[in-house]
Amino acid sequence: MATKYIFITGGVTSSLGKGIICASLGRLLVARGLRVTVQKLDPYINVDPGTMNPYEHGEVYVTDDGAETDLDLGHYERFLGIRTSQQNNVTTGRVYYDVITKERKGAYLGKTVQVIPHITDEIKAHVKNLGESENYDIVIVEIGGTVGDIESLPYIEAMRQLRYDVGRKNTLSIHLTLVPYLAAAGELKTKPTQHSVKTLSESGLSPDILVCRSEYPLDDSIRRKIAQFCNVEIEDVIASLDAESIYEVPLLMQDEGLDGRVIEKLNLPAKNADLVQWKQFVEKVKNPKSEATIALVGKYVEHHDAYKSIVEALVHGGAVNDSRLNIKWIQSDYVNDHNVADLLGGVSGVLVAPGFGDRGIDGKLAAVKFARLQGIPFFGICLGMQCAVIEFARNCANLHDANSTEFNESTPYPVIDYMPDQRGVTEKGGTMRLGQYECKLTEGTNAGSAYGKELINERHRHRFELNNELRDTLQQHGLVVSGVNPERNLVEVIEIEKHPWFVGVQFHPELKSTVNEPHPLFVSFVKASLIYAGHVVKQEEFKNNQPV
Ligand code: GLN
């Protein structure tokens, strides 16, 4: 079967949740037995989001192959249960970079290099290459930005051309739009949708299906009006109302018949959707048997998107434990030894987040110390693990003023130091230790028990690591090294003795947690937190020790 391409554009405003709609449609098509992937086309000029501030862009999602990508790829992986790669995220910066590199090599010798056809050809090649790479049944192509934006134009034009390159019947155009409620008039308004569809149609990509975000249900007369003025059938006007949980969206889209319309229009050989496991998960998310509060300590907490995958991994881990984890967002800048008990007093677990730079480090160290001394389950991720090592070195191993050389280059005890291959690297983009690496776990540790196996693979994004020259000293004082990269002998997981659950990981486990495969460390951390909160009775798999 020829690969089919579904283009998803957005209109009227940004933030309509295009990524969730793409992921939800993907889930429904996967549930019908089809081989699906999702690609994000981002119209900005950065080559990738790796150099962008989390306030600007939210989390940088790292794939197995080490690509630094848009956080929507996280939704695709979590919803569809697939693995994405560099090919799944294309930016204008990358497209121009590739075209200009080719131009310098003489690939277009004699030609004037232009947006059309050279940039549009490059965009089309990225889309088709992904489809052909694994012979997918379907590639869902999410076009970032809003229709009418200047920077989206080459993408819309490329998709218009692609419709004819791969055959009109092998493509579908879905437009996500907003039907706002005007309180003064007491009604839903269709005009913004009409204008958005008009703009899209002027570019030659008229939509086959409209997904209409709305705060209120769309009645028949509104649907008929939208259908009539936007050149679609009434069955192709799909309402997308606000949902309690993003994980409900696939079910709501199924109720509205979105997957059915797609299957029919693309003439796909699809079976009935199998959503049994998905429905059970949504049920657990919506009706948990218990609740607990986790403190998430980080410096970007005003912008929750900066920690998107962590938040979702906690939802997955919560569902496995029939529980909901409420997050208490703690701005690390404001935490110190005096207020830490007030801030973290009632929580059942402490998660210290990843990050870069020295802002908020003292607050993170205070949070680690509090969790360690109080025996509160602690989970340190990347920078969070490094903070746990620094705190342990200073307060348990007599290494006064121990630090990471990221924060103090002349510290007497550089317990966290530059990785050798990072020394001398001056360029910022794409130069960290990135992507998936193997890690060997020690049996009987909390990490070892959580995974239930010895060899694991996890994704990385960092420049610094635990300094092997000080490893023995730390271990002599009770730091447990429970995971090591076998190839390079790098410390990947640390724990401490005499604590119910204290785990720091140099990698990013949150990036691999999906609905169908919740991450074992998150499942285990949530369970330890529920035990601490008194919701669950302690079992043998957790160490029976008291806090130091
Ligand atoms: N800044 C630290 C490093 O580069 C941690 C990075 C992270 O938390 N992702 O090693």
Side-chain angles (χ1 to χ4, degrees):
M1 186 176 87
T3 304
K4 317 265 181 184
Y5 297 87
I6 303 176
F7 312 125
I8 305 205
T9 51
V12 185
T13 84
S14 57
S15 306
L16 288 182
K18 220 185 312 149
I20 299 295
I21 293 294
C22 291
S24 298
L25 176 58
R27 175 73 253 169
L28 292 176
L29 297 173
V30 166
R32 282 170 171 270
L34 295 162
R35 297 183 58 251
V36 187
T37 193
V38 194
Q39 185 177 45
K40 175 90 189 270
L41 306 181
D42 272 316
Y44 49 72
I45 296 175
N46 303 63
V47 171
D48 62 43
T51 52
M52 284 191 229
N53 186 323
Y55 286 120
E56 286 272 323
H57 187 270
E59 167 187 276
V60 173
Y61 189 78
V62 179
T63 52
D64 283 347
D65 63 343
E68 297 178 282
T69 72
D70 186 76
L71 55 73
D72 275 328
L73 271 73
H75 293 310
Y76 309 157
E77 291 204 3
R78 288 187 283 271
F79 276 60
L80 280 74
I82 54 168
R83 293 282 179 241
T84 57
S85 73
Q86 178 69 74
Q87 282 189 296
N88 292 73
N89 193 194
V90 180
T91 69
T92 296
R94 176 163 305 280
V95 170
Y96 272 79
Y97 189 86
D98 292 347
V99 168
I100 291 169
T101 307
K102 280 191 203 165
E103 187 273 335
R104 292 288 82 186
K105 286 188 178 152
Y108 310 107
L109 217 51
K111 293 276 179 222
T112 308
V113 181
Q114 294 177 297
V115 173
I116 300 170
H118 301 100
I119 295 297
T120 45
D121 279 354
E122 191 71 24
I123 295 171
K124 287 194 290 180
H126 275 291
V127 176
K128 278 203 285 190
N129 287 346
L130 175 61
E132 286 158 14
S133 66
E134 303 266 336
N135 205 8
Y136 287 109
D137 296 328
I138 298 167
V139 182
I140 298 174
V141 185
E142 176 182 353
I143 298 163
T146 307
V147 163
D149 294 348
I150 292 174
E151 54 262 50
S152 301
L153 284 175
Y155 291 98
I156 309 264
E157 169 61 12
M159 297 309 110
R160 185 194 69 76
Q161 292 179 16
L162 198 65
R163 299 200 92 170
Y164 295 94
D165 292 357
V166 300
R168 189 76 167 69
K169 64 178 188 321
N170 291 328
T171 67
L172 202 64
S173 165
I174 299 182
H175 189 53
L176 176 63
T177 170
L178 177 71
V179 179
Y181 177 76
L182 217 60
E187 35 178 57
L188 291 166
K189 292 303 206 184
T190 65
K191 197 70 87 186
T193 295
Q194 293 181 41
H195 280 296
S196 183
V197 170
K198 189 171 162 225
T199 308
L200 189 57
S201 302
E202 276 167 5
S203 308
L205 195 68
S206 31
D208 302 303
I209 295 176
L210 291 172
V211 177
C212 305
R213 283 299 308 273
S214 175
E215 286 174 51
Y216 297 94
L218 306 185
D219 65 22
D220 260 7
S221 71
I222 288 274
R223 286 178 196 254
R224 200 163 300 119
K225 194 169 170 187
I226 294 173
Q228 198 169 41
F229 289 115
C230 298
N231 271 334
V232 296
E233 289 171 59
I234 190 160
E235 294 80 13
D236 296 324
V237 178
I238 306 289
S240 169
L241 304 189
D242 295 346
E244 206 180 297
S245 154
I246 54 169
Y247 297 106
E248 239 184 310
V249 178
L251 305 178
L252 297 175
M253 290 298 96
Q254 190 190 38
D255 288 347
E256 280 283 311
L258 176 62
D259 54 331
R261 293 304 284 171
V262 169
I263 300 274
E264 195 182 317
K265 283 171 184 290
L266 286 174
N267 201 12
L268 288 161
K271 60 180 178 87
N272 285 341
D274 175 5
L275 288 163
V276 176
Q277 198 184 344
W278 193 273
K279 283 181 182 158
Q280 283 167 354
F281 168 77
V282 172
E283 178 58 27
K284 282 176 183 242
V285 170
K286 286 178 72 177
N287 300 306
K289 294 202 178 97
S290 62
E291 293 192 35
T293 300
I294 301 287
L296 196 155
V297 186
K299 66 172 173 174
Y300 305 112
V301 290
E302 305 84 355
H303 192 53
H304 298 181
D305 272 0
Y307 305 108
K308 192 90 214 161
S309 294
I310 292 177
V311 173
E312 299 309 328
L314 285 170
V315 175
H316 307 157
V320 174
N321 286 289
D322 285 312
S323 177
R324 173 181 298 149
L325 283 307
N326 301 311
I327 296 178
K328 184 172 184 187
W329 298 92
I330 307 276
Q331 170 52 262
S332 49
D333 290 18
Y334 305 134
V335 186
N336 55 48
D337 283 335
H338 303 293
N339 64 15
V340 67
D342 288 339
L343 290 169
L344 300 184
V347 305
S348 306
V350 174
L351 191 154
V352 175
F356 294 84
D358 63 359
R359 178 165 74 82
I361 290 300
D362 288 342
K364 287 184 173 174
L365 295 175
V368 174
K369 186 176 174 188
F370 186 77
R372 178 175 61 78
L373 291 176
Q374 300 296 316
I376 306 172
F378 167 85
F379 198 5
I381 299 181
C382 208
L383 180 63
M385 172 266 203
Q386 297 176 353
C387 286
V389 173
I390 296 168
E391 196 278 328
F392 185 88
R394 288 184 188 175
N395 299 321
C396 302
N398 303 321
L399 302 178
H400 299 292
D401 293 329
N403 215 331
S404 164
T405 47
E406 183 177 6
F407 316 128
N408 176 7
E409 286 193 2
S410 51
T411 168
Y413 301 110
V415 283
I416 304 293
D417 198 9
Y418 249 121
M419 310 184 72
D421 49 0
Q422 291 291 328
R423 287 187 195 283
V425 173
T426 49
E427 286 199 14
K428 293 275 184 248
T431 55
M432 283 183 257
R433 181 186 185 211
L434 288 165
Q436 181 153 282
Y437 289 91
E438 199 165 65
C439 170
K440 193 170 172 193
L441 299 173
T442 312
E443 210 187 317
T445 57
N446 278 331
S449 316
Y451 282 93
K453 58 179 174 184
E454 195 182 22
L455 278 182
I456 56 160
N457 277 288
E458 293 286 1
R459 299 179 193 168
H460 294 249
R461 182 173 187 249
H462 58 108
R463 295 184 196 283
F464 296 81
E465 60 166 333
L466 193 146
N467 183 349
N468 273 339
E469 286 178 18
L470 290 164
R471 181 162 149 187
D472 277 352
T473 313
L474 293 167
Q475 284 181 288
Q476 277 154 20
H477 287 86
L479 191 83
V480 177
V481 172
S482 54
V484 174
N485 172 283
E487 207 181 308
R488 293 172 57 190
N489 192 26
L490 306 175
V491 175
E492 309 282 35
V493 191
I494 59 104
E495 304 188 12
I496 56 170
E497 289 170 346
K498 302 200 170 91
H499 191 288
W501 207 96
F502 188 104
V503 177
V505 289
Q506 186 59 81
F507 46 76
H508 290 267
E510 72 277 17
L511 302 177
K512 283 179 77 170
S513 188
T514 70
V515 169
N516 286 350
E517 285 183 43
H519 196 284
L521 280 179
F522 278 86
V523 173
S524 182
F525 171 58
V526 169
K527 190 165 182 185
S529 303
L530 293 173
I531 291 170
Y532 183 85
H535 291 307
V536 175
V537 180
K538 191 187 291 191
Q539 287 165 7
E540 278 156 17
E541 68 197 71
F542 290 101
K543 286 195 242 144
N544 204 14
N545 293 331
Q546 293 304 308
V548 272

